[in-house]
Amino acid sequence: MFYLASRGYRCIAHDRRGHGRSSQPWNGNDMDTYADDLAKLVEVLDLKDAIHVGHSTGGGEVARYIGRHGAKRVAKAVLIGAIPPLMLKTPANPGGTPIEAFDQIRAAVVADRSQFWKDLSLPFYGYNRPDAKVSQGLQESFWLQGMMAGFPAAYLCIKAFSETDLTEDLQKFDVPTLVLHGDDDQIVPIGASALLSSKLIKNAILKVYKGAPHGMCSTHKDQVNEDLLAFIKG
């Protein structure tokens, strides 16, 4: 955002309900409500010709927003390391992640969520790979962001990001869309996400970052910034 704002673009970020500095209600920790919250923000700020950029679960939020509310206020969309179309392994989605993996995440959050965030930072940024250049500061920032999420949101959003089928939402996209994904993403494996979503979205542009992890917006920020700017200008 700093990169784009420094180049004259108005940049707006919202903290998802239950996360960051947003209020922490027990209800509404599901993709439909996330999308409706976004729609309310867009309406209140009267945003037009906006470019929606969503990373990870945020990519699901962008997809469900367009699926539920249309793209009349959207100029373009960008999905980065995003969860669509569906993370969960099902008979129709054999390349997905088994439910047991998400059950383990839920158990870890309940048992010791602070330690869970610390442990998760390693695969999130690819710091568990040989010769990885590790930033302790980035790990601590990740931990802080995790701990700023309310407990209900941290727990309930797991179901939202893993079990929400966004296939039909992607098929409703009618704006230019850029899909960025790392081929070493250990959190949202590329095979069940970007490689599928880029085919479901009409005329989507897919760009694969070789060796990039899930946290590519931090580890590969210069490249991401350049690709975003080029897409915005294009």
Side-chain angles (χ1 to χ4, degrees):
M1 287 180 64
F2 184 81
Y3 176 91
L4 294 173
S6 298
R7 284 154 180 79
Y9 294 94
R10 181 188 184 192
C11 296
I12 302 166
H14 73 279
D15 288 349
R16 184 179 300 121
R17 71 164 51 208
H19 295 68
R21 289 157 292 191
S22 285
S23 57
Q24 300 180 354
W26 182 273
N27 64 307
N29 294 288
D30 58 81
M31 202 60 72
D32 284 354
T33 308
Y34 293 164
D36 292 348
D37 287 344
L38 175 57
K40 184 66 175 179
L41 177 69
V42 168
E43 178 185 330
V44 169
L45 296 179
D46 194 25
L47 303 181
K48 298 169 184 173
D49 297 322
I51 298 169
H52 287 252
V53 182
H55 171 258
S56 196
T57 302
E61 195 173 309
V62 170
R64 183 50 54 93
Y65 168 78
I66 291 177
R68 280 171 73 84
H69 299 278
K72 58 184 178 295
R73 291 177 176 265
V74 181
K76 298 179 180 180
V78 184
L79 306 180
I80 307 178
I83 60 171
L86 173 63
M87 284 197 71
L88 184 67
K89 181 178 181 179
T90 66
N93 187 45
T97 302
I99 187 68
E100 290 78 13
F102 301 112
D103 289 339
Q104 289 173 4
I105 295 174
R106 276 183 275 265
V109 167
V110 170
D112 186 346
R113 66 186 178 120
S114 180
Q115 188 60 50
F116 171 73
W117 297 125
K118 289 195 172 188
D119 293 341
L120 184 63
S121 69
L122 294 173
F124 195 95
Y125 295 110
Y127 288 167
N128 56 348
R129 297 307 195 203
D131 303 321
K133 183 180 179 182
V134 178
S135 166
Q136 185 177 348
L138 186 55
Q139 285 185 278
E140 292 177 355
S141 174
F142 179 81
W143 172 86
L144 178 61
Q145 291 176 64
M147 293 305 291
M148 286 176 70
F151 202 113
Y155 183 88
L156 296 171
C157 79
I158 298 166
K159 180 180 178 67
F161 73 66
S162 64
E163 298 183 37
T164 305
D165 190 339
L166 298 153
T167 302
E168 293 185 4
D169 302 275
L170 297 177
Q171 292 170 335
K172 294 179 181 178
F173 277 44
D174 55 0
V175 294
T177 303
L178 175 64
V179 179
L180 305 178
H181 215 104
D183 67 2
D184 193 31
D185 191 324
Q186 301 171 66
I187 309 301
V188 181
I190 189 171
S193 55
L195 298 187
L196 297 179
S197 63
S198 59
K199 294 177 181 177
L200 290 166
I201 299 170
K202 185 178 179 181
N203 298 324
I205 301 168
L206 171 64
K207 185 162 186 177
V208 178
Y209 285 35
K210 186 173 179 57
H214 191 57
M216 58 190 281
C217 291
S218 297
T219 61
H220 293 64
K221 67 178 180 180
D222 291 342
Q223 187 178 353
V224 171
N225 284 337
E226 290 176 7
D227 286 339
L228 282 176
L229 185 60
F231 180 65
I232 289 170
K233 288 183 172 181

